[in-house]
Amino acid sequence: MAHFPQPAPRNRLAAALAISLLLHALLLAASALHWPADKAPAPPLEVRLIPAAAEAPAEGPLLKDTIAQAAPPAEAAPPPPPPIPAKRPVPAAKPRPVTEIAQRKLAEHLYYPAEAIKAGLEGEVRLLLTLDASGAVQEADIAASSGHPILDQAALRAAYAMGRVDAGGKREMILPVTFRLR
């Protein structure tokens, strides 16, 4: 395969400029050859501003009185229909906070470890989740421990298992996970 030397960037710029000038010169020369010599270009249009008349037009007033010109009322006009009651506006569904969406998603993957149930362990773990632009969980760390490593690890496993959260882009969030026995 043959390699051709690439011209320096300055040489490419100079060549492009020269080609552009040559093409423009050719276009100007071609238009000059096709322009009839005896026909001069048309002079520019002359424009004058005329001041507005100070008085109103003679036809009549600018606004028309439509109430005075209305037809006389009929003798037995039916009563107007009752007004339609205004419908209550339906309140738009409030967007759920991202933490609520993430907690619902996490709850689908969270389980209470059997060893913790046997030992009667309870607590709250606060997870620090790092989400990428698509909402995938990039990293999950324990921001505040429950005091029981088995509960902390169960919360971390659930965070990685939930996969993606529709959080609206890249972000970090604190997500509380509560383990309570009933």
Side-chain angles (χ1 to χ4, degrees):
M1 185 173 0
H3 292 284
F4 297 102
Q6 294 292 323
R10 288 187 186 179
N11 293 342
R12 284 188 285 185
L13 180 62
L17 183 61
I19 291 171
S20 176
L21 289 173
L22 180 64
L23 286 174
H24 281 88
L26 286 174
L27 287 173
L28 288 173
S31 66
L33 290 175
H34 288 89
W35 191 269
D38 59 335
K39 190 173 185 181
L45 294 176
E46 183 179 327
V47 178
R48 291 184 305 154
L49 293 177
I50 302 172
E55 57 196 56
E59 293 107 31
L62 188 58
L63 297 175
K64 186 176 180 181
D65 186 7
T66 56
I67 296 174
Q69 296 177 0
E75 294 174 7
I84 299 174
K87 291 184 180 178
R88 283 187 174 176
V90 178
K94 292 182 183 177
R96 291 187 296 182
V98 175
T99 53
E100 184 181 334
I101 294 170
Q103 282 179 328
R104 288 183 186 267
K105 182 89 171 177
L106 183 75
E108 296 172 7
H109 301 280
L110 187 65
Y111 70 96
Y112 212 119
E115 299 91 355
I117 294 171
K118 286 179 189 174
L121 301 178
E122 294 184 344
E124 183 175 290
V125 182
R126 293 198 179 264
L127 296 176
L128 174 63
L129 298 180
T130 305
L131 306 175
D132 66 8
S134 70
V137 177
Q138 285 184 325
E139 191 174 341
D141 294 315
I142 297 174
S145 174
S146 66
H148 306 289
I150 193 166
L151 297 179
D152 297 346
Q153 290 304 314
L156 283 173
R157 279 193 298 272
Y160 281 111
M162 70 181 184
R164 229 174 120 310
V165 178
D166 294 325
K170 186 175 181 176
R171 66 173 40 195
E172 284 187 339
M173 61 190 309
I174 300 275
L175 192 62
V177 181
T178 304
F179 292 93
R180 293 279 179 251
L181 292 172
R182 294 184 184 178

